[in-house]
Amino acid sequence: MDKVTRLVSEKGIVIFSKSSCCMCYAVIILFKELGVKPLVHEIDEDPEGREIEKALMRLGCNAPVPAVFIGGTLVGSTNEVMSLHLKG
Amino acid sequence: MNSPSAQFVTSRRIGVYDPIHQIGMWGENFKSNSNLNASASLIVEDVKLDSQSQDASHGTEGPSNQYDQEATKPTDKVQRRLAQNREAARKSRLRKKAYVQQLETSRLKLIQLEQELERARQQGLYIGGGLDAGHLGFSGTVNSGITTFEMEYGHWMEEQNRQICDLRNALNAHITDIELRMLVESGMNHYFELFRMKATATKADVFYMMSGMWKTSAERFFLWIGGVRPSQLLKVLGPQLNPMTKQQSLDVLNLEHSCQQAEDALSQGMERLQQTLADTVAAGQLSEGSCNRQMTNAMEKLEALRTFVGQADHVRKETLQQMLHILTIRQAARGLLALGEYFQRLRALSSLWATRPREPA
């Protein structure tokens, strides 16, 4: 949990992802299209990955990845990202 | 039914329960529904007993004494006869109801069969095979989730056509904005209903959704992750919205841009999914064990497909909702009408194409 908090305060946009997850890939592509460079953390490549996953679930994410944080706050998963994006 | 003579007398008196007429009625039902067999013969028996007993008990007494006879008969037999009449009438109503329900079910089945047939014809009778355990599975098993979806879709389509008519009439008749708002809202809700239906059906069979099996052939030509491209929705709506304010034009432009970006992102995600799935299935040693592992990996990848279909529908829904925010009610109404008619025409095109004269083989 601490690791999550630490990571999200590091940079503007932080995305927790899994290298095998194609939806995560789609979300990352979306941000890149917007000209943003998010900090991507592949939790399946992190030794503490399971802990991070549990922490994310506890924060209320149904699916642990993709989990998008902007400015330290949890924005949500793909649904929320898409809705916000379409609203401008 | 233990005093046939009384029954016969009562019926004469009341004139409500006419045995001959009843026979006729039952006879009709009897012909069309063999379930009534038993009851019909029962009634026939009843009348036979009546006529027999009348001869027996009124043996020596002439018809002129009939009314005297009635006055001395105990009324509970009359009551019993009345009750039996009511019972028979009630049973008759129940049987009629059951018969009608049977007809309704058969009618629905017929519609379903006709739809399947139409679809099969359009596909050139290509069934099973690449559609795995889908609706018309190779082993002949039927996926009930999909059957339900198809039936609901049939109803949805009927309602959709009605709504399009209503919208057209409303716009031509220049009704008030308040009334128009109601039409627009039910139109939007109707689309949202479709997304809900699709979500349920995706759980039943994602490949069915990915192949757009419920759509007509021309609609399927434009298929993108289990439905219409969101950007296509906007392209159809666009021309209908003029005149727009400057702010509106700007907002619509932004929405088109965002929509395209979302679409591209999802498309690329899908491509990656296809690639990784292909890699997973292709990568393999010849040993038995690794084959199973491979399949497990592949199955996991396929799970992701459901997420994509869900996400694509989410983008479609959000795009429509955003449009509603930007537009006035009148513009929204025109937009919905245009959208509805667009798909109607696509469907008409499919039918035309399917029934065009073929070149001789």
Side-chain angles (χ1 to χ4, degrees):
Chain A
M1 191 65 195
D2 297 324
K3 182 152 187 185
V4 173
T5 335
R6 190 167 40 84
L7 283 167
V8 304
S9 58
E10 263 183 46
K11 217 188 164 190
I13 300 183
V14 180
I15 303 181
F16 288 97
S17 155
K18 278 188 194 167
S19 54
S20 58
C21 170
C22 293
M23 190 51 86
C24 301
Y25 180 73
V27 170
I28 295 166
I29 292 282
L30 183 61
F31 279 105
K32 293 215 176 116
E33 282 187 6
L34 298 172
V36 172
K37 270 214 86 188
L39 179 67
V40 178
H41 199 80
E42 308 278 9
I43 67 175
D44 55 340
E45 285 166 4
D46 187 322
E48 292 173 295
R50 302 248 51 208
E51 289 302 311
I52 299 181
E53 193 171 326
K54 275 189 243 167
L56 289 171
M57 301 281 276
R58 247 178 282 137
L59 282 171
C61 301
N62 271 337
V65 290
V68 179
F69 288 76
I70 298 185
T73 342
L74 174 65
V75 166
S77 189
T78 328
N79 268 356
E80 290 77 28
V81 171
M82 288 294 174
S83 302
L84 285 172
H85 176 66
L86 288 168
K87 285 184 180 136
Chain B
M1 298 266 200
N2 42 16
S3 184
S5 55
Q7 292 164 359
F8 194 65
V9 166
T10 309
S11 70
R12 273 287 165 88
R13 226 178 131 192
I14 295 182
V16 168
Y17 183 71
D18 182 359
I20 307 302
H21 174 66
Q22 278 282 41
I23 292 284
M25 212 170 74
W26 285 126
E28 243 170 7
N29 284 341
F30 171 64
K31 278 183 220 141
S32 42
N33 190 340
S34 54
N35 283 341
L36 300 175
N37 211 343
S39 47
S41 49
L42 216 71
I43 303 295
V44 176
E45 275 234 13
D46 193 20
V47 178
K48 278 209 207 112
L49 281 170
D50 282 347
S51 28
Q52 279 170 20
S53 60
Q54 203 209 6
D55 295 334
S57 59
H58 292 269
T60 49
E61 299 164 48
S64 52
N65 290 345
Q66 203 174 320
Y67 286 107
D68 291 346
Q69 289 272 316
E70 285 164 16
T72 57
K73 290 275 188 281
T75 47
D76 63 6
K77 289 190 179 162
V78 171
Q79 295 295 354
R80 221 176 299 144
R81 188 57 172 165
L82 284 172
Q84 278 151 3
N85 288 354
R86 278 195 295 275
E87 189 57 38
R90 191 181 75 89
K91 287 206 183 114
S92 161
R93 280 192 296 274
L94 284 175
R95 272 189 289 269
K96 181 176 178 183
K97 193 175 174 195
Y99 176 55
V100 169
Q101 273 176 347
Q102 212 181 358
L103 277 178
E104 285 290 309
T105 328
S106 306
R107 184 176 150 266
L108 281 174
K109 259 190 227 156
L110 186 63
I111 294 174
Q112 198 183 346
L113 279 171
E114 279 177 336
Q115 281 176 352
E116 281 181 30
L117 200 61
E118 184 53 44
R119 222 178 312 121
R121 224 180 289 135
Q122 281 176 17
Q123 295 172 44
L125 293 176
Y126 171 66
I127 301 172
L131 300 182
D132 80 347
H135 176 56
L136 300 170
F138 202 59
S139 59
T141 55
V142 171
N143 188 327
S144 68
I146 296 299
T147 316
T148 310
F149 175 73
E150 292 196 331
M151 227 169 54
E152 285 178 351
Y153 185 69
H155 296 150
W156 187 91
M157 190 54 70
E158 285 173 12
E159 176 62 25
Q160 178 73 349
N161 290 332
R162 269 194 292 269
Q163 286 193 2
I164 294 174
C165 263
D166 290 343
L167 260 176
R168 200 181 296 128
N169 293 337
L171 284 170
N172 285 336
H174 308 294
I175 66 172
T176 67
D177 271 11
I178 300 177
E179 290 164 323
L180 209 53
R181 176 175 286 279
M182 276 182 2
L183 282 177
V184 167
E185 277 179 9
S186 48
M188 291 295 280
N189 285 333
H190 198 55
Y191 279 118
F192 298 161
E193 180 62 34
L194 182 62
F195 291 133
R196 269 196 295 277
M197 282 160 50
K198 284 176 76 181
T200 315
T202 305
K203 291 196 195 101
D205 185 358
V206 68
F207 281 124
Y208 180 89
M209 305 311 286
M210 281 297 294
S211 312
M213 293 312 302
W214 71 97
K215 290 175 176 272
T216 61
S217 36
E219 287 174 293
R220 248 179 282 136
F221 178 60
F222 294 98
L223 202 66
W224 176 80
I225 313 186
V228 177
R229 277 182 185 276
S231 53
Q232 184 67 32
L233 290 171
L234 294 179
K235 285 202 195 97
V236 172
L237 288 171
Q240 299 301 316
L241 309 174
N242 294 315
M244 281 193 282
T245 67
K246 262 222 159 58
Q247 185 58 48
Q248 279 182 326
S249 300
L250 204 64
D251 289 339
V252 169
L253 214 63
N254 282 335
L255 183 59
E256 283 176 354
H257 193 51
S258 306
C259 184
Q260 193 62 57
Q261 285 170 329
E263 213 174 284
D264 289 343
L266 285 178
S267 294
Q268 291 190 51
M270 275 295 280
E271 274 176 30
R272 188 156 191 263
L273 185 60
Q274 276 186 333
Q275 195 53 57
T276 51
L277 184 62
D279 290 345
T280 309
V281 172
Q285 283 85 40
L286 296 167
S287 67
E288 191 68 37
S290 80
C291 185
N292 287 337
R293 224 184 358 260
Q294 223 181 331
M295 286 303 166
T296 317
N297 285 342
M299 294 282 278
E300 280 170 18
K301 298 277 180 288
L302 283 181
E303 288 293 327
L305 199 54
R306 286 207 215 148
T307 335
F308 271 94
V309 177
Q311 204 51 233
D313 273 350
H314 181 69
V315 172
R316 287 177 191 116
K317 183 177 172 187
E318 290 289 304
T319 306
L320 283 175
Q321 269 184 318
Q322 271 308 110
M323 269 311 246
L324 197 60
H325 281 147
I326 299 173
L327 302 176
T328 67
I329 278 299
R330 208 149 281 270
Q331 285 169 325
R334 270 186 297 174
L336 275 180
L337 180 61
L339 207 59
E341 287 183 335
Y342 173 76
F343 289 115
Q344 268 182 341
R345 273 182 238 133
L346 265 188
R347 286 190 280 270
L349 185 62
S350 302
S351 301
L352 265 176
W353 182 257
T355 54
R356 77 193 188 285
R358 313 279 165 139
E359 293 108 35

